[in-house]
Amino acid sequence: MALRTLSLNCLTTHYADLWRECWQDDFRDDRFASSDPRLPADFFARLTPEWQRHCALRSDYARRQALVEIDVLASLALGLTLDELLTLYRVQFPVMRQYEADTWYDAHGRIVFTASKGLVGVGLPRKAGKRDAPCEIVYPDGKSQSRALGWEDARTLPLGTRIRRPLRDDTLPGGPVQRTLEYVAPFALADREADYRLAWAHFSESS
């Protein structure tokens, strides 16, 4: 649990001292409870005692997986059963369930669309607007086109299609910069209850 918490929070060099103080050599022996291809399979093996950029979980899907696993580890520590964890999720977190049911990830674990009101601006809009900057769409056969794109159009694009979306990023000191985000089809949902079950089996077995 400590390792997953560190990897979620230690995003910059400002956390290097904390990372170093908490480091344990057996961090490298850990692994995700899931073998989903959207997860970086070598993440734990590449960890180092000195903080490096790759010591942080950065993709949307990998960060979500760490949160799922923390939920399971906390439940095990509290003596809950899997059924009790699932019941808590179903009864106490209806909004989260609603958002999970309409949050889509690309082949590399980036959110390509989400209905979450806490992630405004993340991913494509549901429908393309007149003011939206055009995206470059590169098809598997190498052909490309440029047009405004919404999720309702993107979700049916063929396997291997790349969407390159220009974005004005004003999240860092120094003012806004222009970036290009890339989404790679196929796009798929995540199933939190199934992931809880998988993580529960993994950590129960390892303990």
Side-chain angles (χ1 to χ4, degrees), residues 71-122:
D71 284 353
V72 169
L73 288 165
S75 298
L76 286 166
L78 291 169
L80 300 179
T81 65
L82 173 58
D83 284 342
E84 287 170 335
L85 171 60
L86 294 172
T87 299
L88 281 170
Y89 174 58
R90 293 166 186 161
V91 174
Q92 299 295 328
F93 298 95
V95 175
M96 180 187 290
R97 292 184 71 200
Q98 178 184 342
Y99 290 161
E100 285 248 328
D102 205 11
T103 295
W104 297 75
Y105 299 85
D106 81 341
H108 298 310
R110 172 169 275 162
I111 292 176
V112 63
F113 173 78
T114 181
S116 173
K117 291 181 170 57
L119 296 174
V120 174
V122 174

Side-chain angles (χ1 to χ4, degrees), residues 25 33 45 51 61-62 66-67 96 98 101 106 114 125 137 150 161 163 191-194 199-200:
D25 288 337
W51 184 90
Y61 192 83
L67 292 170
M96 180 187 290
Q98 178 184 342
D106 81 341
T114 181
I137 307 167
T161 301
I163 301 169
D191 184 333
R192 198 174 193 92
E193 291 195 21
W200 195 278

